Amino acid sequence: MNESENRTAENNRLWGEVVADFFYVNKIHHVFFSPGSRSTPLILALERKKDIECIPILDERTAAFVALGKSKYIRKPTALLCTSGSAPTHWFPAVTEAHYSGIPLLLLTADRPPELQNCGAGQTIDQVNLFQKFVRGFHQSPLPDSGKDSIKKLETLLQTAYLQCLGQNPGPIQINFPFREPFFSPNKSPCSIKTDTKPVEAPHTEYKDSIRDVSALAKGHKKVLIIAGEFAPSSPLLSLLEKYPVPVLCDALSPLRNASFKTLILRYEQHIRNQSLQIKLQPELIITLGPLPTSKKLRAWIEQTKAERIIIEPRGVEVDPLGSPSHHLQLDYHCIQKLELSEPNTAWVQAWMEAEDNIENKLHGQLESENTLHEAKLARTLSDILPDDAVLHVANSMPIRDLEWFWRQKSSNRQLFGNRGVNGIDGTLGTALGLAHQSGKPTFLLTGELAFLHDSNALLFSDHFKGSLTVVLINNHGGGIFHHLPISQQPEFQKCFLTPQSCDFSKLCEAHGLNYHLIQTWQAFEKLVQVPFPPGIRILEIPVDREHSFEKRNHYLNIQ
């Protein structure tokens, strides 16, 4: 190696150590990477750094969703690292999900140097601002250099990116690192140049509105309905309900579904399908905390009520898809416990509670007597038997709706998750693996077979996975959600929408060395879920008749 090459290699090593020092000082412990040559300076420094775990994942798409799941669980940024060219483009589905759901991710992309851009060099695309508006910021690293000003510039860049990642509206950021060859130095001694990396102080969040603004808008309304979104914490809401016991509609993933309070409403889908209740339960004011639940019926009913609406969203982003007027306020959810309301209309509140008890009792009685396997009872059964400290990730399409419609309220320490930012089936398994990795909690995934197969590459992570994940795999031979659409009556339905797959899941599990069970009775299912599962991945395949599940679901949704 000549002098020029040696200087380049040493500068590359220095750049990697600056990044690794920054991660170490700011307690960024998890780096998910896919192997590649151009990212060598970064991965070597990170791998050699104490307290930073570098987790190799062959497929960049899977790596991104595993990182997304981990960031969801720890509520802090994890890092993604890959080589140049098409590699980072595979992150795109996870980046869009992180963007819309407010999940912090640090995207470290290795790149070719300027002289190899736009000249036909291999593994080279334009990576500048690759993810555009789907990241909170883009930063181009300077070429590695040992000058003090260059080092300071890189450190400032890292600090700025980190703050953007954790800002008022958390999300992904991209840092693009161009490297010249050679990528590493055979020199094993520490870098002679010392850096002075300091921890970044968390940004102080200023909200433009206050809880007094909400109280002023709510004044005089005695029929106040609250809709608790996915991210609204339970503690401040329960404190508010102690003073003002108003009905609270709980999103499918709301933490309140694992709380216990008499005015929590989970059966709202059934209530608003009842014509007489639609009128009887109409509110004067609706306070929505974050995004609305998935239910189209609920959204249509809200429009019909003509009620005044207040939308509270701390991130300051638009989360109201309805056309009617509403007040948009940006403040911390925890302020909700200080909200001042008028004395609730007790007869109206009681009507909500009686309707809830009526539907819940009928659902319980009918579902308890069901012996055939179907999807509505599966969601219900999980709410009854999951361990107290379980983590449950729920796939989109029908699983999240069945959870919304049939999950039973129960006081527990369970945590519910889903990829609701974009509502796609992308990365369902990868996200669940990220949630479970090193969590120390029994983790479960409820998914249909299409979402599972769409992300089956994530099973390649099993060798490095440290945790316990049970996949509850609904096999209904197609996309069951399309049965609920008018297109289901058309002759093209089977080929163009259901897209049934023929996969022997037992053989797929065998190929990956996974624990597999074919479930044929409720008793067998309950026994397997309730028995602690050792570290690893197991698949519980539950074959159901799609038509039968469709009929049962419609029956239970229209109970009166």
Side-chain angles (χ1 to χ4, degrees):
M1 188 180 294
N2 62 39
E3 184 179 345
S4 175
E5 290 173 335
N6 185 65
R7 185 166 55 250
T8 296
E10 284 298 311
N11 287 342
N12 286 340
R13 183 161 74 115
L14 172 63
W15 237 231
E17 291 195 8
V18 171
V19 173
D21 285 345
F22 182 86
F23 277 31
Y24 174 79
V25 167
N26 287 284
K27 297 180 170 56
I28 302 166
H29 296 303
H30 306 281
V31 178
F32 297 91
F33 73 97
S34 300
S37 177
R38 190 66 52 170
S39 52
T40 297
L42 295 174
I43 193 59
L44 283 184
L46 291 163
E47 174 67 11
R48 293 169 179 173
K49 196 70 176 179
K50 180 185 176 184
D51 292 339
I52 295 177
E53 182 194 26
C54 294
I55 305 112
I57 302 179
L58 175 64
D59 171 21
E60 286 88 0
R61 182 175 174 275
T62 295
F65 277 106
V66 174
L68 176 82
K70 188 66 183 177
S71 290
K72 275 176 177 278
Y73 186 76
I74 64 175
R75 302 188 180 201
K76 291 175 60 179
T78 58
L80 274 165
L81 173 61
C82 75
T83 190
S84 64
S86 64
T89 67
H90 296 280
W91 290 348
F92 223 109
V95 171
T96 57
E97 176 61 32
H99 166 70
Y100 283 106
S101 54
I103 305 300
L105 288 175
L106 296 165
L107 313 175
L108 312 183
T109 52
D111 200 0
R112 292 294 200 268
E115 65 270 17
L116 293 180
Q117 298 289 337
N118 302 310
C119 63
Q123 278 189 271
T124 306
I125 65 170
D126 183 358
Q127 294 177 196
V128 173
N129 202 16
L130 179 64
F131 303 101
Q132 299 184 30
K133 65 180 181 180
F134 297 109
V135 290
R136 301 295 178 264
F138 168 80
H139 301 274
Q140 178 75 4
S141 165
L143 284 163
D145 183 87
S146 59
K148 287 185 179 179
D149 288 345
S150 295
I151 295 171
K152 183 62 178 176
K153 186 174 182 180
L154 176 59
E155 289 176 332
T156 302
L157 180 156
L158 292 168
Q159 292 167 2
T160 303
Y162 188 62
L163 286 171
Q164 287 176 320
C165 189
L166 289 175
Q168 195 166 61
N169 180 20
I173 60 96
Q174 181 195 357
I175 308 176
N176 197 49
F177 292 89
F179 290 113
R180 292 189 173 111
E181 297 187 58
F183 300 134
F184 72 97
S185 168
N187 188 355
K188 299 296 183 183
S189 60
C191 271
S192 58
I193 299 173
K194 301 299 180 184
T195 60
D196 186 28
T197 304
K198 292 181 174 62
V200 178
E201 291 186 17
H204 176 68
T205 302
E206 291 284 349
Y207 296 100
K208 67 182 185 69
D209 301 303
S210 75
I211 197 64
R212 291 189 297 274
D213 299 319
V214 185
S215 297
L217 290 168
K219 187 176 181 180
H221 294 297
K222 294 184 175 296
K223 296 180 179 180
V224 177
L225 179 68
I226 295 176
I227 302 177
E230 173 184 359
F231 302 113
S234 58
S235 180
L237 263 171
L238 292 172
S239 296
L240 175 71
L241 295 179
E242 291 289 347
K243 295 182 290 184
Y244 306 104
V246 300
V248 178
L249 276 57
C250 302
D251 179 85
L253 302 178
S254 168
L256 285 170
R257 290 195 167 225
N258 297 310
S260 179
F261 199 86
K262 57 187 178 182
T263 61
L264 301 183
I265 306 296
L266 275 65
R267 304 282 76 87
Y268 48 84
E269 181 76 21
Q270 286 89 341
H271 304 331
I272 59 181
R273 287 170 180 252
N274 183 320
Q275 292 294 326
S276 61
L277 282 179
Q278 274 193 22
I279 300 169
K280 187 176 183 180
L281 301 179
Q282 279 197 14
E284 299 168 351
L285 171 68
I286 300 173
I287 302 174
T288 303
L289 307 178
L292 285 167
T294 59
S295 171
K296 289 184 178 180
K297 294 281 187 184
L298 175 63
R299 297 179 183 206
W301 177 72
I302 290 172
E303 295 272 46
Q304 292 169 12
T305 65
K306 306 298 183 185
E308 191 169 356
R309 295 194 298 122
I310 298 173
I311 315 295
I312 298 176
E313 172 51 66
R315 295 176 294 165
V317 298
E318 179 62 64
V319 293
D320 180 21
L322 306 185
S324 55
S326 59
H327 305 278
H328 294 247
L329 292 97
Q330 184 183 4
L331 65 151
D332 192 337
Y333 286 137
H334 287 87
C335 294
I336 201 74
Q337 59 193 321
K338 299 177 182 178
L339 177 62
E340 294 181 5
L341 298 173
S342 300
E343 193 66 29
N345 182 315
T346 54
W348 179 75
V349 173
Q350 189 63 32
W352 271 104
M353 293 166 60
E354 288 175 359
E356 184 77 358
D357 289 343
N358 174 52
I359 297 299
E360 188 57 52
N361 290 335
K362 289 179 178 178
L363 262 183
H364 180 70
Q366 293 185 31
L367 283 166
E368 280 289 298
S369 62
E370 286 279 355
N371 290 320
T372 56
L373 298 173
H374 63 83
E375 295 166 53
K377 182 165 181 175
L378 179 56
R380 181 72 165 199
T381 302
L382 283 172
S383 69
D384 289 333
I385 67 173
L386 280 180
D388 179 76
D389 61 342
V391 173
L392 175 64
H393 182 61
V394 188
N396 287 312
S397 294
M398 288 319 303
I400 190 67
R401 288 168 172 79
D402 286 333
L403 193 80
E404 183 175 23
W405 296 335
F406 306 115
W407 183 272
R408 180 155 60 161
Q409 179 187 344
K410 184 178 181 180
S411 182
S412 72
N413 295 308
R414 298 167 182 167
Q415 293 174 273
L416 305 176
F417 292 92
N419 285 346
R420 295 279 299 284
V422 186
N423 286 297
I425 64 170
D426 314 65
T428 299
L429 177 58
T431 305
L433 287 165
L435 289 165
H437 183 67
Q438 294 186 333
S439 72
K441 299 287 182 70
T443 306
F444 295 79
L445 166 63
L446 176 63
T447 180
E449 86 277 15
L450 294 189
F452 180 83
L453 289 170
H454 195 275
D455 198 33
S456 61
N457 242 25
L459 295 176
L460 295 171
F461 178 50
S462 59
D463 286 346
H464 295 276
F465 173 63
K466 300 173 184 176
S468 171
L469 177 66
T470 297
V471 179
V472 180
L473 177 62
I474 305 163
N475 190 351
N476 62 7
H477 301 286
I481 192 169
F482 295 111
H483 263 297
H484 294 261
L485 301 177
I487 198 68
S488 63
Q489 305 305 313
Q490 299 303 309
E492 298 86 358
F493 180 60
Q494 175 87 4
K495 175 184 175 181
C496 299
F497 294 90
L498 278 183
T499 57
Q501 305 296 308
S502 56
C503 177
D504 187 329
F505 290 101
S506 67
K507 291 181 179 177
L508 180 62
C509 291
E510 183 182 356
H512 289 278
L514 305 182
N515 191 298
Y516 168 84
H517 299 270
L518 179 64
I519 304 299
Q520 296 180 316
T521 67
W522 289 117
Q523 292 77 12
F525 176 66
E526 292 178 17
K527 183 178 179 180
L528 283 167
V529 169
Q530 292 172 320
V531 173
F533 177 63
I537 304 170
R538 66 172 170 175
I539 311 294
L540 310 183
E541 182 184 357
I542 304 179
V544 299
D545 182 280
R546 187 176 58 249
E547 295 282 355
H548 178 66
S549 284
F550 174 72
E551 292 168 3
K552 284 293 182 182
R553 188 181 287 117
N554 278 346
H555 167 72
Y556 291 126
L557 285 175
N558 290 289
I559 287 178
Q560 295 187 9

